[in-house]
Amino acid sequence: MTSVVFIVDDDLALREALQSLLRSVGHVVEAFECTRDLLEHRQRLADAVGCLVLDVRLPGQSGLDLQRQLVADGILLPIVFITGHGDVPMSVAAMKAGAIEFLTKPFRDQDLLDAVHRALELDSDRRAAATALAALRGRFDSLTAREREVMALVAAGQMNKQIAAELELAEVTVKVHRAQVMAKMQARSLPELVRMADRLSADGRNV
């Protein structure tokens, strides 16, 4: 999937300079004058692997306000803030809210390129992890209630004989359920199944 660098800055000259710089190293760039224009493309922000280069001080909604709105909307694009009027409290607020960099104008071209590269890597990794977790949830949801019970006990380190006693099943039946769990979860080993159970538990699934 092609990544996109979104830019929001009301300074036309800077906006065009940033577009030129980023395109010169192969990035796809979409630039906007204000947050309202950007938000008209909300679905693209949610769907594209990308990052946001965002001026803090903008007419109307500020960059920090936009950051808060995007988080509330579940749009988790990494943000590189730029400003000509940076101060420490503003920088701290931006970073606490998830910005990955805060650059004060004038900044070096290489500093911006490095920040954008890091932001795109973070977003790509985040989306890949989310896709993998969704697939894992789907496999877990395909298990029967009994198979989920067996998976939980296997992941907790219990042997087949112990599981059979706890669930009042024949040991051979536990072996069948265990094999089904391994196959449905696509787990190639017990440690891999345990890691899957840990991820699902961290995600709030009852494993």
Side-chain angles (χ1 to χ4, degrees):
M1 182 184 294
T2 302
S3 59
V4 182
V5 181
F6 300 94
I7 299 171
V8 184
D9 197 301
D10 61 329
D11 183 329
L12 176 61
L14 178 59
R15 196 164 67 244
E16 291 181 342
L18 292 175
Q19 288 185 80
S20 178
L21 171 64
L22 290 163
R23 286 174 177 159
S24 74
V25 295
H27 292 301
V28 175
V29 182
E30 296 181 17
F32 305 90
E33 183 178 3
C34 62
T35 62
R36 183 185 64 253
D37 293 345
L38 175 76
L39 290 172
E40 289 177 359
H41 299 78
R42 188 182 268 103
Q43 193 58 50
R44 181 134 170 82
L45 295 174
D47 293 343
V49 174
C51 71
L52 179 57
V53 177
L54 180 61
D55 196 351
V56 170
R57 298 182 186 273
L58 293 164
Q61 185 182 42
S62 73
L64 289 173
D65 289 337
L66 174 64
Q67 181 187 32
R68 285 189 284 269
Q69 180 177 342
L70 291 176
V71 170
D73 290 347
I75 298 173
L76 304 177
L77 279 182
I79 296 177
V80 176
F81 272 111
I82 55 176
T83 182
H85 311 281
D87 58 22
V88 172
M90 189 182 298
S91 175
V92 170
M95 300 299 276
K96 280 186 175 180
I100 70 158
E101 187 58 88
F102 194 95
L103 301 174
T104 303
K105 304 171 189 175
F107 46 79
R108 295 189 315 129
D109 288 352
Q110 192 59 51
D111 288 340
L112 177 70
L113 292 175
D114 288 346
V116 165
H117 179 71
R118 188 165 70 255
L120 291 174
E121 280 194 336
L122 284 171
D123 198 48
S124 179
D125 291 347
R126 177 185 66 80
R127 290 175 187 272
T131 298
L133 181 56
L136 183 61
R137 288 188 195 123
R139 297 199 297 274
F140 181 72
D141 289 344
S142 75
L143 300 180
T144 66
R146 179 65 82 190
E147 287 166 352
R148 292 181 192 181
E149 288 179 324
V150 170
M151 177 176 170
L153 295 171
V154 169
Q158 293 198 25
M159 306 297 289
N160 289 344
K161 185 179 294 186
Q162 295 170 303
I163 297 171
E166 180 159 340
L167 298 181
E168 298 181 345
L169 297 172
E171 189 172 344
V172 66
T173 303
V174 171
K175 289 180 180 178
V176 171
H177 285 314
R178 182 170 181 155
Q180 284 287 85
V181 168
M182 297 294 285
K184 288 184 178 181
M185 294 303 296
Q186 299 176 21
R188 292 163 294 187
S189 66
L190 176 57
E192 186 174 14
L193 185 70
V194 172
R195 288 194 294 273
M196 290 177 179
D198 288 344
R199 289 184 64 193
L200 288 163
S201 294
D203 186 50
R205 296 298 172 107
N206 186 22
V207 182

